[in-house]
Amino acid sequence: MSVHHVEAAGDGPLIPRPERAPGALRAACAVVAPHLLPAYDQAKDQALAEAVEHGSLAPVHAYLSHWAALIEIERHPETAKAYHRAGYLAQVATTPEQGREHLAAAAAIYRDAARAVRER
C-alpha cells in the first residue's frame, strides 16, 4: 500500500497558512491542534537551548521547519486524519512490513506538507 497525500476535495484549510515564525506557528497550533501546545513549547525551548549551546541557529531553523509542516498537516482535517491514522496503524502493526507500509504513508504526508510550506 503506497499512499501519497493528495488533498481531498472538501479538505480545505481551517485557517490560513501561518508565517514560519514562533509566535505565528504557536497561534496556529492553538487553533488547529491545541493538544500539541505543550510539545510545541517544549520543542521551541529545546531548539533555543541547543542554538545557544552550539552557537548556531540550525536547531531553530529545524524546529520552525518541522512545526510548519505539522501545522500544515493539521490545517487540513482529512489530511490530519490520514496522517494520525497511519501513525497509529504503524504502532499497532503486527508485522514489520505492515509497520513500514504505514510509516511510509505517514512520511509521504509529512513530506508533502514540508514541501508545501517550503514552496509558499
Side-chain angles (χ1 to χ4, degrees):
M1 173 182 162
S2 177
V3 177
H4 291 280
H5 168 66
V6 176
E7 190 171 304
D11 192 27
L14 296 172
I15 61 171
R17 183 178 291 146
E19 293 297 317
R20 211 180 97 178
L25 290 173
R26 188 178 195 291
C29 186
V31 173
V32 298
H35 63 284
L36 294 178
L37 282 173
Y40 176 88
D41 290 336
Q42 181 180 6
K44 181 184 75 165
D45 292 346
Q46 183 177 348
L48 292 174
E50 288 176 15
V52 169
E53 179 182 341
H54 300 293
S56 169
L57 289 178
V60 174
H61 290 294
Y63 132 80
L64 289 171
S65 295
H66 174 67
W67 279 91
L70 289 180
I71 297 303
E72 182 65 17
I73 291 167
E74 296 294 338
R75 287 185 334 115
H76 300 272
E78 292 301 316
T79 301
K81 181 179 174 183
Y83 179 74
H84 295 294
R85 182 176 189 274
Y88 170 77
L89 290 174
Q91 290 179 353
V92 299
T94 57
T95 67
E97 294 79 21
Q98 288 176 340
R100 281 191 292 275
E101 183 178 300
H102 296 300
L103 284 175
I109 293 169
Y110 183 91
R111 274 193 310 277
D112 287 349
R115 186 177 310 111
V117 295
R118 272 194 318 270
E119 295 173 353
R120 60 167 34 238

